[in-house]
Amino acid sequence: MSNIEEIMNNPCHIHFVGIGGISMSGLAEILLDKGYSVSGSDSRSSPVTERLESLGANITYGHYAENITDDISYLVYTAAVKADNPELITAKEKGITVMSRAVLLGQIMSKYPTAVSVSGTHGKTTTTSMLAEILLEARYDPTILVGGILKSIHGNVRVGKSGYLVTEACEYTNSFHSFISTIDIILNIREDHMDFFKDIHDIRNSFKVFADKLDESGVLVINSEINDLSYFTNDLKCRYVTFGQDKNKSEFYPENITYNQFACASFDIMKQTVCFDNGVCRFTNPVKTAHVDLKVPGEHNVLNALAAFAAADIMNVPPEAAARGLNAYSGTDRRFQYKGERNGVTIIDDYAHHPDEIRATLTAAANYPHRKLWCVFQPHTYTRTKAFLTQFASALSLADEVVLAEIYPARETDTLGISSRTLCEEIEKLGKSVHYLPSFEEIEKFLLKNCINGDLLITMGAGDVVLIGENLLK
């Protein structure tokens, strides 16, 4: 047994670099519950770090070599931590074992008889939250790790006492290859994170490796609409379950879909029997298993709900409880989140930062009551903006008015010669009304002058664009 594999058998002192991050804080809270000594560092205090301190974590603000004491057994870091981080350097000098967040999470997962990993380019947070609501409704007492704030658990983590765990699984840097699951969900596979992956084939291979890690006792839940599905399902050691809109390709599919005035779907969930005829997969005996009335908008959430329902079915959750859980889900922070109203203008915030996500959100918004649809978009990273420039322009053109903030660089320092002005020029080519205003202050003044009673304003992006809507409401 390796040093890292012993971690879950021996409660010890673990130090987190960037402990206030939404993913790191969840792992820290789980370890605190299990009796570990937890320390960490972060750039500044936040409600997340204050909560961890109340649970017993020792947190220092600022990254310093002296934070690494000799009694630390393991140091945990994320992809955002650079090689010149003084805590990382000191830990290596002291011979302390360092590991990525993904490796630690994989070791935690290995101790749960049922561990679910929710993967996909889009929809991970929503689907993880939907499945969490289902397991809570069914009283499975799950441990939950979600990449957003889920109202029903008052945060991003819940430490349960049962053998059930559900978590998001991100493909960036192939981190989900370190996860040890019994059920994997693949929602969709699109081009993204092009600062790491070479191309779509590289991304598909990463998901293939992820699926192949499941052993004979595992189950893969996969979207039947993924291109060349057999690439992922052939030669699997585990069995697989499909979901999707097409009843000719899906074990779980929706029927009788209707949308209310807020673009939220109601539909029946159908389940079919799967059989193989000379190696050909066929579906027979469709049965209505549940009726669902979602409280979150958009066609994309129908598929997210189907994926969560299929995973719950594998876990033997009664279909009535699964439907109640889906009906109870009202969204997570920054996923088409209603923020408030000012002078008759409804303000929504959404985390969408990929062209497919933007298109899905704006399509849903088109069915939401409004006079004119405004989208304030903050591109996220230079590499993503450059890789999807024309796709961003096309997706954003679904709004009546587009306002662009400057690019949020996140971990990047090289601008690649691109800015939001470049995107503005691309949108102008499509004949759309677009405004490029570099500062939040300029944007807020512009919106106060131009948005009028009956308009719908969506702040959109993975950076801090949410502050614009919040400032307007103040």
Side-chain angles (χ1 to χ4, degrees):
M1 181 180 289
S2 74
N3 193 25
I4 286 178
E5 287 172 332
E6 293 174 353
I7 189 170
M8 296 311 297
N9 298 324
N10 301 291
C12 53
H13 182 179
I14 299 182
H15 182 85
F16 291 81
V17 182
I19 196 169
I22 198 157
S23 59
M24 295 281 267
S25 62
L27 298 183
E29 185 163 336
I30 289 174
L31 293 180
L32 284 165
D33 182 76
K34 295 184 180 297
Y36 286 70
S37 175
V38 172
S39 63
S41 59
D42 213 282
S43 57
R44 60 183 181 275
S45 177
S46 69
V48 172
T49 59
E50 289 169 5
R51 171 173 170 76
L52 289 174
E53 287 178 310
S54 73
L55 295 173
N58 180 21
I59 300 178
T60 304
Y61 297 99
H63 301 293
Y64 306 108
E66 51 266 34
N67 292 340
I68 307 305
T69 54
D70 292 337
D71 63 328
I72 293 173
S73 299
Y74 301 92
L75 178 141
V76 183
Y77 64 93
T78 67
V81 176
K82 306 300 183 186
D84 61 355
N85 182 281
E87 296 182 8
L88 187 62
I89 292 171
T90 304
K92 291 178 179 179
E93 290 174 348
K94 288 178 175 285
I96 295 170
T97 302
V98 301
M99 74 179 85
S100 69
R101 167 201 169 267
V103 169
L104 174 59
L105 177 51
Q107 291 305 305
I108 291 173
M109 294 171 74
S110 70
K111 296 302 178 182
Y112 286 81
T114 302
V116 186
S117 294
V118 182
S119 75
T121 312
H122 321 302
K124 293 185 290 292
T125 296
T126 295
T127 306
T128 302
S129 300
M130 286 177 166
L131 183 54
E133 294 283 11
I134 289 171
L135 297 179
L136 290 170
E137 177 63 34
R139 304 196 176 191
Y140 273 39
D141 192 18
T143 293
I144 300 163
L145 288 160
V146 62
I149 303 301
L150 183 58
K151 299 180 185 69
S152 60
I153 63 173
H154 309 291
N156 64 302
V157 60
R158 178 186 190 273
V159 182
K161 302 301 181 186
S162 72
Y164 295 92
L165 178 146
V166 58
T167 183
E168 291 186 34
C170 183
E171 73 275 16
Y172 184 57
T173 68
N174 293 325
S175 63
F176 62 174
H177 293 173
S178 298
F179 290 12
I180 301 174
S181 319
T182 58
I183 300 172
D184 285 344
I185 299 175
I186 300 180
L187 297 166
N188 41 62
I189 301 173
R190 300 279 193 274
E191 285 183 304
D192 198 9
H193 300 302
M194 304 313 291
D195 58 326
F196 176 76
F197 294 109
K198 300 186 193 72
D199 51 32
I200 186 61
H201 303 293
D202 192 22
I203 296 170
R204 284 169 60 84
N205 177 68
S206 182
F207 277 91
K208 172 67 172 171
V209 173
F210 171 65
D212 284 345
K213 285 175 58 63
L214 287 166
D215 62 22
E216 293 82 355
S217 63
V219 185
L220 173 66
V221 178
I222 188 165
N223 187 342
S224 64
E225 297 168 20
I226 290 174
N227 185 44
D228 189 15
L229 187 68
S230 62
Y231 172 75
F232 301 96
T233 58
N234 285 351
D235 305 320
L236 282 172
K237 296 186 289 291
C238 67
R239 75 179 178 97
Y240 67 93
V241 171
T242 54
F243 69 93
Q245 296 276 13
D246 189 345
K247 66 180 180 181
N248 296 314
K249 299 192 298 183
S250 311
E251 186 173 341
F252 291 88
Y253 66 94
E255 212 167 58
N256 303 318
I257 303 176
T258 60
Y259 293 90
N260 66 15
Q261 70 269 34
F262 299 109
C264 301
S266 295
F267 58 98
D268 297 327
I269 295 181
M270 308 296 292
K271 180 183 179 182
Q272 305 191 83
T273 301
V274 183
C275 62
F276 287 87
D277 183 7
N278 293 324
V280 178
C281 180
R282 302 190 187 282
F283 301 100
T284 60
N285 304 321
V287 176
K288 173 184 171 181
T289 59
H291 178 80
V292 174
D293 299 300
L294 295 181
K295 291 186 176 69
V296 286
E299 182 182 6
H300 59 293
N301 278 321
V302 174
L303 288 173
N304 292 336
L306 285 172
F309 190 94
D313 183 76
I314 293 165
M315 299 160 73
N316 297 314
V317 174
E320 300 83 5
R324 289 196 302 272
L326 290 173
N327 292 342
Y329 175 65
S330 59
T332 46
D333 281 6
R334 305 223 57 210
R335 270 70 178 182
F336 210 89
Q337 181 186 7
Y338 174 81
K339 301 294 289 188
E341 190 174 299
R342 163 143 188 174
N343 297 335
V345 178
T346 300
I347 299 176
I348 302 287
D349 182 63
D350 196 275
Y351 191 70
H353 56 284
H354 183 281
D356 290 348
E357 296 168 342
I358 293 168
R359 188 174 296 278
T361 297
L362 294 180
T363 298
N367 296 309
Y368 198 95
H370 67 277
R371 186 193 70 89
K372 182 180 282 190
L373 174 58
W374 292 77
C375 179
V376 181
F377 180 60
Q378 181 187 42
H380 188 261
T381 74
Y382 301 108
T383 52
R384 184 180 283 115
T385 306
K386 184 173 183 178
F388 302 116
L389 188 66
T390 58
Q391 295 96 319
F392 274 126
S394 175
L396 288 165
S397 68
L398 293 174
D400 298 314
E401 299 277 352
V402 180
V403 180
L404 296 175
E406 195 45 86
I407 294 171
Y408 187 86
R411 54 189 173 270
E412 296 181 347
T413 55
D414 185 354
T415 68
L416 306 176
I418 202 164
S419 74
S420 288
R421 188 176 295 282
T422 319
L423 177 56
C424 181
E425 292 167 356
E426 201 69 26
I427 296 172
E428 286 174 339
K429 292 177 185 177
L430 300 176
K432 296 299 295 186
S433 179
V434 56
H435 316 271
Y436 166 55
L437 301 166
S439 75
F440 283 7
E441 183 179 1
E442 291 172 276
I443 291 173
E444 289 160 18
K445 288 180 179 178
F446 176 81
L447 294 173
L448 284 171
K449 180 179 178 181
N450 291 280
C451 287
I452 65 174
N453 189 0
D455 286 355
L456 175 61
L457 170 63
I458 301 180
T459 56
M460 184 180 289
D464 55 358
V465 67
V466 60
L467 297 174
I468 292 175
E470 292 176 350
N471 288 341
L472 290 175
L473 290 170
K474 290 177 183 176

